[in-house]
Amino acid sequence: MGQLAHQSGSAVDPAAPILLFDSGVGGLSVLAELRQALPQAPVIYAADLKGLPYGTKSEAEVAARVCGLLGRMSERFRPRLICIACNTASTIALAMVRDVLEVPIVGTVPAIKPAAELTRSGTIGLLGTAATIRQPYVDRLEAKFAADKLLLRHAAPELVTAAEAKLRGEPVDSGVFARAAQGLRSQPGGEAIDTVVLACTHFPLIEDELAQAFGGGVRFVHGAAGIARRIAFLTKGQPFKRSNSDCAVVTGADTDAAPLVPTFSRFGLSRIEVL
Ligand code: DGL
């Protein structure tokens, strides 16, 4: 059913949440935009901390985790809409999840289209996880929107670790940002990159650090604002009522989530549940 599962306003429980799903804290970059677009919407933020990171896993592992967990969570929380706020999970499993769940699903895919519209030099960099950058989904986006551009891809798993550490208040090795920039710049033609796609939802959370590493003249593009607009469009006319404070749901142990309590509460997630 996927995108066609538009529910009329009167059929929707006003307390039914929007469920945002990621392997870790990356989806908070989407939640920040969603709060702007729909401040009154009840939200459950789900982080598969036990499965983190997704980017170094196989397609089969990611697909199994995402389909299994979203199935369980949609039974349990009855969301009005699910957003897979993770490029890795979306580029691998979006079609599968849409096939099996009868709830509208919004995915997150690399923002190659806006990057192709923005670039002046015609050379675009793309930073993502190892799993994302090898996906046929990304090849298709490139063929459709950037066939006349040079798109250089670089897998930067260290940046996922850096974003997770930053939001836990832990020290971050500053060399990771320079290495990510170098990973793109050192490819043939890489010196002309003027636009970088942040193709992992963790990366907007470290955009300032990346901007410093790349130096002036590079613009960063990601999909968070567009995703929030899409969610607002798909839930247009539906009633919203937050009957309880918003909640973060995590897999793993209590102790995995403990260092994230201050960050979660900064994003309005004042309760934490372990799945
Ligand atoms: N936030 C995820 C993404 O957008 C991936 C991070 C991970 O490797 O788990 O791709």
Side-chain angles (χ1 to χ4, degrees):
M1 287 181 80
Q3 302 298 293
L4 297 175
H6 242 318
Q7 283 175 291
S8 81
S10 56
V12 176
D13 172 2
I18 291 170
L19 192 145
L20 293 190
F21 176 85
D22 182 42
S23 54
V25 297
L28 295 173
S29 61
V30 177
L31 177 56
E33 294 291 341
L34 185 64
R35 294 287 194 207
Q36 305 278 325
L38 290 175
Q40 71 285 29
V43 168
I44 290 181
Y45 183 80
D48 182 14
L49 298 182
K50 196 172 172 188
L52 177 78
Y54 281 0
T56 51
K57 291 186 165 48
S58 69
E59 281 72 0
E61 279 177 284
V62 171
R65 288 200 77 83
V66 173
C67 290
L69 283 169
L70 288 180
R72 275 170 71 192
M73 289 194 269
S74 78
E75 284 286 299
R76 171 133 173 227
F77 301 113
R78 302 273 166 205
R80 71 182 72 205
L81 178 146
I82 293 174
C83 170
I84 305 179
C86 174
N87 289 259
T88 310
S90 297
T91 54
I92 292 173
L94 185 57
M96 274 178 252
V97 174
R98 282 187 174 147
D99 264 358
V100 294
L101 294 184
E102 297 206 346
V103 57
I105 313 284
V106 174
T108 308
V109 299
I112 292 173
K113 183 178 182 218
E117 285 160 5
L118 272 176
T119 181
R120 293 282 159 268
S121 67
T123 304
I124 302 166
L126 184 145
L127 289 174
T129 67
T132 295
I133 69 164
R134 66 172 180 253
Q135 291 314 306
Y137 200 123
V138 180
D139 300 340
R140 289 197 293 274
L141 290 174
E142 177 178 356
K144 190 163 173 196
F145 300 115
D148 58 342
K149 313 283 188 251
L150 176 61
L151 181 79
L152 301 173
R153 308 179 192 185
H154 178 65
E158 290 185 313
L159 294 180
V160 175
T161 313
E164 289 286 333
K166 179 180 172 182
L167 271 66
R168 283 171 173 75
E170 292 164 4
V172 177
D173 163 17
S174 58
V176 301
F177 308 110
R179 285 197 286 276
Q182 185 58 14
L184 284 173
R185 290 279 192 218
S186 62
Q187 295 183 39
E191 67 288 342
I193 290 171
D194 65 352
T195 308
V196 173
V197 181
L198 300 179
C200 169
T201 51
H202 279 73
F203 299 171
L205 301 168
I206 45 171
E207 187 171 331
D208 292 347
E209 292 85 344
L210 287 169
Q212 256 196 321
F214 275 91
V218 169
R219 273 193 288 195
F220 295 94
V221 184
H222 59 83
I227 294 158
R229 280 196 300 274
R230 180 80 186 140
I231 296 172
F233 172 77
L234 289 172
T235 58
K236 206 167 167 194
Q238 296 181 4
F240 290 104
K241 187 171 185 295
R242 194 179 276 113
S243 54
N244 215 333
S245 50
D246 284 340
C247 179
V249 174
V250 301
T251 58
D254 287 358
T255 44
D256 298 332
L260 288 171
V261 170
T263 289
F264 281 153
S265 83
R266 197 155 47 82
F267 282 85
L269 305 163
S270 51
R271 295 178 298 131
I272 301 185
E273 238 184 85
V274 179
L275 192 70

